[in-house]
Amino acid sequence: MTTGPTRFIILCHGRTGSTLFGSLLASHPAMAWGGEEFNAARNWPGPGRLIYHLGRRYPLLRLNWLAWRQRGKVYGCKLTPNYLRNLNRTIAQVHRHGWLLIHLQRRNTFHEAISGLVAKDTDFYQHFADQTPRGPAALQREIDPDRFLRRMKYCQRLAAMETQALAGRPHMQVWYEDDLADAVNWAAVARRVFDALGLPSVPLQTNVRRTWERSYADIITNYAELVAVARTAGYAHFLE
């Protein structure tokens, strides 16, 4: 039986490892992982979109309803700044109502931006165990440098919004590079979450695989140009 919070959110944005992280936490039999369930109504037809608009206007109401449906289980889902009209107000509300806050970030914005653009251009966002991996020829492409810089600034803006919303509020910090990039660290980060929720540790399972096995230098035909552009724009620290 859980003795901690029974509800949590992972505050993050795309290409930070949230699908992998959520799948690891979902290994626990007492866990109900909702993933991007909060925003799912965005694609519902007809009257279903009313739920989407109500969720954006009254996010705590929708979050509490999603959690209530999972009677007896700890509920968690993903939130991003794009899901909400007012991120600061929503984070303040869920904190007051006892939700555990977890902030998932990626330190290397250079890699995050490339990952996001390749995923968008190929429509290949996730790789699951039952899928055939795409070869380098299917992923290889050139990325416009100006578009790349806009993407980097966009990623940094989202991260800044998340950090501001969490400022002064207790939360758990998870870094993609430290906690998720290497499978050897998965048990430790999952145990931190389970401990905070008052749950015993369990063996982890996931069907999420690395989206692509080749390096970005192999995928991006003008990779050297992007490196030079990043250095010129003041992002050299991401290349070390």
Side-chain angles (χ1 to χ4, degrees), residues 66-213:
L66 291 171
W68 173 80
R69 293 188 311 162
Q70 305 294 337
R71 298 177 183 84
K73 287 197 172 187
V74 172
Y75 177 78
C77 69
K78 168 182 170 181
L79 284 184
T80 81
N82 296 332
Y83 291 178
L84 305 162
R85 286 189 174 184
N86 190 320
L87 178 63
N88 289 352
R89 184 177 62 190
T90 300
I91 295 301
Q93 288 176 338
V94 296
H95 171 61
R96 284 198 303 270
H97 283 76
W99 289 63
L100 172 67
L101 302 174
I102 303 173
H103 192 197
L104 173 59
Q105 288 182 283
R106 189 167 180 166
R107 283 197 178 93
N108 195 316
T109 308
F110 180 83
H111 288 165
E112 181 185 330
I114 288 181
S115 177
L117 292 174
V118 173
K120 183 176 179 63
D121 290 350
T122 60
D123 195 29
F124 190 56
Y125 289 87
Q126 310 297 340
H127 177 207
F128 299 99
D130 58 350
Q131 290 179 307
T132 302
R134 296 193 184 186
L139 296 170
Q140 200 167 50
R141 61 204 55 253
E142 180 177 331
I143 292 179
D144 176 73
D146 289 336
R147 181 180 176 224
F148 169 68
L149 285 178
R150 288 196 299 271
R151 182 75 184 195
M152 288 196 71
K153 293 176 182 177
Y154 172 73
C155 293
Q156 291 188 312
R157 185 168 67 252
L158 292 180
M161 291 173 63
E162 295 160 10
T163 300
Q164 181 185 22
L166 290 166
R169 297 188 176 92
H171 64 277
M172 181 181 300
Q173 184 68 55
V174 177
W175 293 99
Y176 171 81
E177 289 85 352
D178 298 345
D179 301 309
L180 298 173
D182 191 332
V184 73
N185 298 316
W186 292 354
V189 69
R191 186 164 55 249
R192 286 169 55 202
V193 178
F194 295 153
D195 287 348
L197 295 169
L199 299 173
S201 295
V202 298
L204 301 178
Q205 303 178 49
T206 181
N207 67 340
V208 179
R209 302 292 182 261
R210 190 181 295 275
T211 311
W212 36 79
E213 297 297 336

Side-chain angles (χ1 to χ4, degrees), residues 21-93:
F21 191 28
S23 73
L24 293 173
L25 299 180
S27 300
H28 205 292
M31 182 76 68
W33 170 242
E36 299 191 40
E37 187 175 36
F38 178 88
N39 205 44
R42 178 180 183 179
N43 299 316
W44 291 358
R49 282 188 59 81
L50 177 61
I51 295 177
Y52 168 71
H53 292 293
L54 286 174
R56 283 177 58 82
R57 183 176 292 274
Y58 306 107
L60 182 63
L61 183 64
R62 175 155 171 76
L63 285 168
N64 282 336
W65 180 77
L66 291 171
W68 173 80
R69 293 188 311 162
Q70 305 294 337
R71 298 177 183 84
K73 287 197 172 187
V74 172
Y75 177 78
C77 69
K78 168 182 170 181
L79 284 184
T80 81
N82 296 332
Y83 291 178
L84 305 162
R85 286 189 174 184
N86 190 320
L87 178 63
N88 289 352
R89 184 177 62 190
T90 300
I91 295 301
Q93 288 176 338

